[in-house]
PDB file of all heavy atoms in Angstrom:
ATOM      1  N   PRO F  11     -13.375   7.489  -6.044  1.00 98.00           N
ATOM      2  CA  PRO F  11     -12.993   8.354  -4.918  1.00 98.00           C
ATOM      3  C   PRO F  11     -14.179   8.600  -3.983  1.00 98.00           C
ATOM      4  O   PRO F  11     -15.309   8.739  -4.442  1.00 98.00           O
ATOM      5  CB  PRO F  11     -12.559   9.646  -5.617  1.00 98.00           C
ATOM      6  CG  PRO F  11     -13.172   9.602  -6.979  1.00 98.00           C
ATOM      7  CD  PRO F  11     -13.307   8.174  -7.342  1.00 98.00           C
ATOM      8  N   LEU F  99      -6.631  21.492 -26.353  1.00 98.00           N
ATOM      9  CA  LEU F  99      -6.920  22.254 -27.573  1.00 98.00           C
ATOM     10  C   LEU F  99      -6.855  23.741 -27.276  1.00 98.00           C
ATOM     11  O   LEU F  99      -7.445  24.211 -26.294  1.00 98.00           O
ATOM     12  CB  LEU F  99      -8.315  21.896 -28.099  1.00 98.00           C
ATOM     13  CG  LEU F  99      -8.539  20.421 -28.453  1.00 98.00           C
ATOM     14  CD1 LEU F  99      -9.972  20.207 -28.928  1.00 98.00           C
ATOM     15  CD2 LEU F  99      -7.532  19.981 -29.522  1.00 98.00           C
ATOM     16  N   SER F 112      -5.153  33.182 -19.472  1.00 96.00           N
ATOM     17  CA  SER F 112      -4.550  33.041 -20.807  1.00 96.00           C
ATOM     18  C   SER F 112      -3.319  33.922 -20.959  1.00 96.00           C
ATOM     19  O   SER F 112      -2.809  34.066 -22.066  1.00 96.00           O
ATOM     20  CB  SER F 112      -5.584  33.389 -21.868  1.00 96.00           C
ATOM     21  OG  SER F 112      -5.993  34.729 -21.721  1.00 96.00           O
ATOM     22  N   SER F 143       0.856  21.914 -14.258  1.00 98.00           N
ATOM     23  CA  SER F 143       1.468  20.835 -13.503  1.00 98.00           C
ATOM     24  C   SER F 143       1.852  21.367 -12.111  1.00 98.00           C
ATOM     25  O   SER F 143       2.242  22.523 -11.972  1.00 98.00           O
ATOM     26  CB  SER F 143       2.692  20.305 -14.246  1.00 98.00           C
ATOM     27  OG  SER F 143       3.554  21.371 -14.611  1.00 98.00           O
ATOM     28  N   LEU F 193       0.949  21.658 -33.750  1.00 95.00           N
ATOM     29  CA  LEU F 193       1.382  21.036 -32.503  1.00 95.00           C
ATOM     30  C   LEU F 193       2.212  22.030 -31.703  1.00 95.00           C
ATOM     31  O   LEU F 193       3.232  22.522 -32.174  1.00 95.00           O
ATOM     32  CB  LEU F 193       2.227  19.799 -32.825  1.00 95.00           C
ATOM     33  CG  LEU F 193       2.676  18.977 -31.621  1.00 95.00           C
ATOM     34  CD1 LEU F 193       1.508  18.209 -31.024  1.00 95.00           C
ATOM     35  CD2 LEU F 193       3.785  18.012 -32.030  1.00 95.00           C
ATOM     36  N   LEU F 194       1.769  22.326 -30.465  1.00 93.00           N
ATOM     37  CA  LEU F 194       2.550  23.225 -29.613  1.00 93.00           C
ATOM     38  C   LEU F 194       3.395  22.457 -28.605  1.00 93.00           C
ATOM     39  O   LEU F 194       4.424  22.935 -28.166  1.00 93.00           O
ATOM     40  CB  LEU F 194       1.628  24.183 -28.850  1.00 93.00           C
ATOM     41  CG  LEU F 194       0.788  25.139 -29.701  1.00 93.00           C
ATOM     42  CD1 LEU F 194       0.014  26.083 -28.801  1.00 93.00           C
ATOM     43  CD2 LEU F 194       1.660  25.922 -30.670  1.00 93.00           C
ATOM     44  N   ALA F 219      11.894  21.897 -36.881  1.00 41.00           N
ATOM     45  CA  ALA F 219      12.977  22.880 -36.741  1.00 41.00           C
ATOM     46  C   ALA F 219      13.263  23.122 -35.270  1.00 41.00           C
ATOM     47  O   ALA F 219      13.210  24.229 -34.773  1.00 41.00           O
ATOM     48  CB  ALA F 219      12.588  24.182 -37.437  1.00 41.00           C
ATOM     49  N   ALA F 306      25.352  14.589 -11.580  1.00 94.00           N
ATOM     50  CA  ALA F 306      25.324  14.606 -13.044  1.00 94.00           C
ATOM     51  C   ALA F 306      24.586  13.368 -13.530  1.00 94.00           C
ATOM     52  O   ALA F 306      24.745  12.284 -12.966  1.00 94.00           O
ATOM     53  CB  ALA F 306      26.735  14.631 -13.616  1.00 94.00           C
TER      54      ALA F 306
END
Side-chain angles (χ1 to χ4, degrees):
L99 300 179
S112 62
S143 51
L193 184 73
L194 298 184

